[in-house]
Amino acid sequence: MTTLRIERARRADLAELAHVAQTVHAHSFADMLGPAALQRDLNGPLSAWHLRMQARSDLFLVARRKGVILGLAQVGVCDTPAEDLWLPCMLSSGALELRRIYVLPSAQEQGLGNALLGAATEVAEQAGADMLLDVWAGNTRAQRLYARAGFVFCGNRILPPDRAASQRGASLDLIMIRRYRRSVAHSG
């Protein structure tokens, strides 16, 4: 098997990043979102232009094999307005948010998600920052991945209702998961 590399994305990767993000999002959410909502996501926040704007402040990590991007992780400073969160715990100043991890369907079950998550949490540890993320309530597979990496439930995000998704029985409520910063033992 060819070696997998996890590295920072380059400006030249933007079109490929958008392709990966759009492919995974469409594969994962086509049954949950109506066609119009899905198209809005693909043409909006997952377009190459939007990813380029997000890359001004966020770090994009990519999983690359044989020069091809198979997955990505996006990390940025948590900027969610407090009124959109319900957290029984307080976030520390400078907390980082894992905004997304996407692995192409053809590359799943090969450890890429774990590798990307490990690299993202290493960024938070090096910064001495808490990290949080949100995940769809029905995405138990992802929740298990995050739990194995030390993330724990800590609240919910308030979202507007999506009538079409509710009619299909899909829950669009997000569960907030938080990974607490590791304590550093000081000798003295």
Side-chain angles (χ1 to χ4, degrees):
M1 182 174 261
T2 306
T3 305
L4 176 71
R5 290 188 348 230
I6 305 294
E7 59 193 21
R8 287 178 176 244
R10 302 179 299 251
R11 182 179 295 262
D13 294 329
L14 282 169
E16 197 172 0
L17 283 174
H19 169 74
V20 169
Q22 292 169 347
T23 299
V24 173
H25 191 78
H27 180 266
S28 300
F29 299 109
D31 291 341
M32 260 190 223
L33 301 173
L38 183 60
Q39 202 58 47
R40 267 194 312 272
D41 288 352
L42 300 180
N43 294 333
L46 298 175
S47 69
W49 185 87
H50 277 276
L51 294 178
R52 181 173 57 244
M53 294 300 106
Q54 293 168 18
R56 291 178 172 181
S57 59
D58 288 1
L59 169 67
F60 283 84
L61 300 167
V62 295
R64 199 183 301 266
R65 186 175 287 140
K66 292 185 180 181
V68 176
I69 296 174
L70 302 173
L72 66 91
Q74 181 182 353
V75 177
V77 173
C78 181
D79 57 2
T80 302
E83 61 272 10
D84 290 347
L85 297 174
W86 178 84
L87 298 174
C89 52
M90 295 300 295
L91 288 178
S92 63
S93 173
L96 296 178
E97 182 175 4
L98 180 60
R99 300 195 201 287
R100 61 178 55 101
I101 288 185
Y102 284 160
V103 176
L104 288 172
S106 61
Q108 292 180 2
E109 302 297 328
Q110 299 175 28
L112 278 73
N114 278 322
L116 286 163
L117 182 58
T121 56
E122 180 64 26
V123 167
E125 288 174 13
Q126 287 178 2
D130 290 341
M131 179 173 268
L132 65 91
L133 58 88
D134 51 292
V135 60
W136 295 104
N139 191 348
T140 57
R141 184 173 166 198
Q143 291 173 39
R144 286 191 302 270
L145 170 71
Y146 300 138
R148 286 191 305 268
F151 287 82
V152 295
F153 174 79
C154 93
N156 297 93
R157 183 181 303 264
I158 299 168
L159 294 176
D162 181 322
R163 188 178 318 153
S166 296
Q167 289 171 348
R168 288 189 295 280
S171 170
L172 292 183
D173 293 333
L174 294 175
I175 299 173
M176 296 300 302
I177 308 282
R178 180 173 177 190
R179 185 174 195 272
Y180 292 93
R181 178 177 52 225
R182 290 188 181 152
S183 299
V184 179
H186 296 281
S187 57

